[in-house]
Amino acid sequence: MTTSVLTCATLLSAHPEAWKSATVHPFLQQCQQGTITPEQFNTWLVQDYLFVLEFTRMAARSLSAAPPAHFDTLLGGLGAIKDELLWFQAKANERSLSLSIPPQPICQTYCEFMQSLAPQPYAVQATAFWAIELAYNQGWQRHSPMPEPYTEFGDRWGNPGFTEYVKVLEQQADSALATLSEAEQKQVEQVFLEVARLEKDFWQMAFAV
Ligand code: HMH
């Protein structure tokens, strides 16, 4: 990147292809067309629950590194994650799926990536957090409306309230990014690209069974 002011918007505009592959995928297309098999959908569902368990820890670490002005949004985010975990458990129950299974390698890799952000500056964590939420917000939104039984899945991450939340996460990440050195900015760009790659791989996991 040539510009010295790194923002979430400049990350997106510098890497349109990487971001597209994170948010446009046959998994989502086949959910929208109703052609995904139940096994494929259930694979994603259980692995995403395992992902969100680790994402909860990442959210907590982000809160612990954040300035007080960001607490309100991050606490709201943690509250939404609490609902999401319970919702995943209910969805798994409806489908008679066990959530006590090992993560697949891609899920494991994504979880390790999130853990690796722990010692990073808040700006790095905040940008990764924004990118992860934006990927689902845009991914589900770009493939909406979803037919039944996937409508509620599309709405969960594609709804306007979630879009607003992601916008505030972007503003908070931008304000933190403004404090970074040039070397740290380079690192943020790598983290962003890693999120994009992991998101793409995560969708693909459903087709590995
Ligand atoms: C893989 N990325 C993945 N799962 C999610 N639930 C989100 C992002 C959004 O929380």
Side-chain angles (χ1 to χ4, degrees):
M1 313 241 321
T2 49
T3 167
S4 60
V5 185
L6 183 70
T7 64
C8 293
T10 57
L11 285 169
L12 287 169
S13 60
H15 304 289
E17 287 310 313
W19 196 248
K20 190 176 167 202
S21 65
T23 52
V24 178
H25 192 277
F27 177 84
L28 290 164
Q29 290 162 347
Q30 290 178 30
C31 287
Q32 192 177 23
Q33 290 156 8
T35 56
I36 200 84
T37 69
E39 290 77 13
Q40 289 166 339
F41 189 79
N42 291 345
T43 296
W44 165 78
L45 180 63
V46 174
Q47 293 296 320
D48 208 51
Y49 173 74
L50 300 177
F51 167 90
V52 175
L53 288 181
E54 195 52 46
F55 187 62
T56 307
R57 297 196 174 102
M58 178 179 161
R61 286 190 297 267
S62 209
L63 173 67
S64 79
H70 295 186
F71 279 14
D72 194 57
T73 299
L74 296 177
L75 285 166
L78 276 163
I81 289 172
K82 166 188 146 63
D83 289 344
E84 191 162 298
L85 289 168
L86 295 173
W87 175 80
F88 267 111
Q89 289 160 13
K91 295 301 111 187
N93 244 331
E94 284 171 13
R95 292 167 175 264
S96 307
L97 302 172
S98 169
L99 292 171
S100 309
I101 63 155
Q104 285 196 25
I106 288 300
C107 183
Q108 180 68 29
T109 301
Y110 208 156
C111 290
E112 284 166 10
F113 165 76
M114 289 190 280
Q115 287 158 6
S116 78
L117 298 175
Q120 298 297 329
Y122 170 65
V124 178
Q125 297 184 51
T127 307
F129 194 81
W130 157 76
I132 291 170
E133 295 288 43
L134 182 71
Y136 262 40
N137 180 230
Q138 293 191 343
W140 289 97
Q141 223 163 46
R142 284 175 179 172
H143 300 80
S144 69
M146 286 274 173
E148 293 298 346
Y150 308 122
T151 315
E152 66 178 304
F153 292 84
D155 290 348
R156 169 155 288 274
W157 293 284
N159 77 75
F162 196 78
T163 304
E164 282 310 305
Y165 164 65
V166 174
K167 278 191 189 141
V168 180
L169 291 179
E170 174 175 347
Q171 286 159 11
Q172 295 190 169
D174 281 349
S175 73
L177 284 170
T179 67
L180 289 188
S181 70
E182 213 140 294
E184 288 169 324
Q185 293 190 9
K186 270 275 154 224
Q187 198 192 346
V188 170
E189 192 170 6
Q190 289 315 310
V191 163
F192 173 78
L193 287 170
E194 191 68 4
V195 168
R197 191 182 65 79
L198 288 162
E199 288 290 333
K200 169 169 81 69
D201 290 350
F202 204 94
W203 295 126
Q204 191 61 33
M205 205 169 32
F207 296 113
V209 290

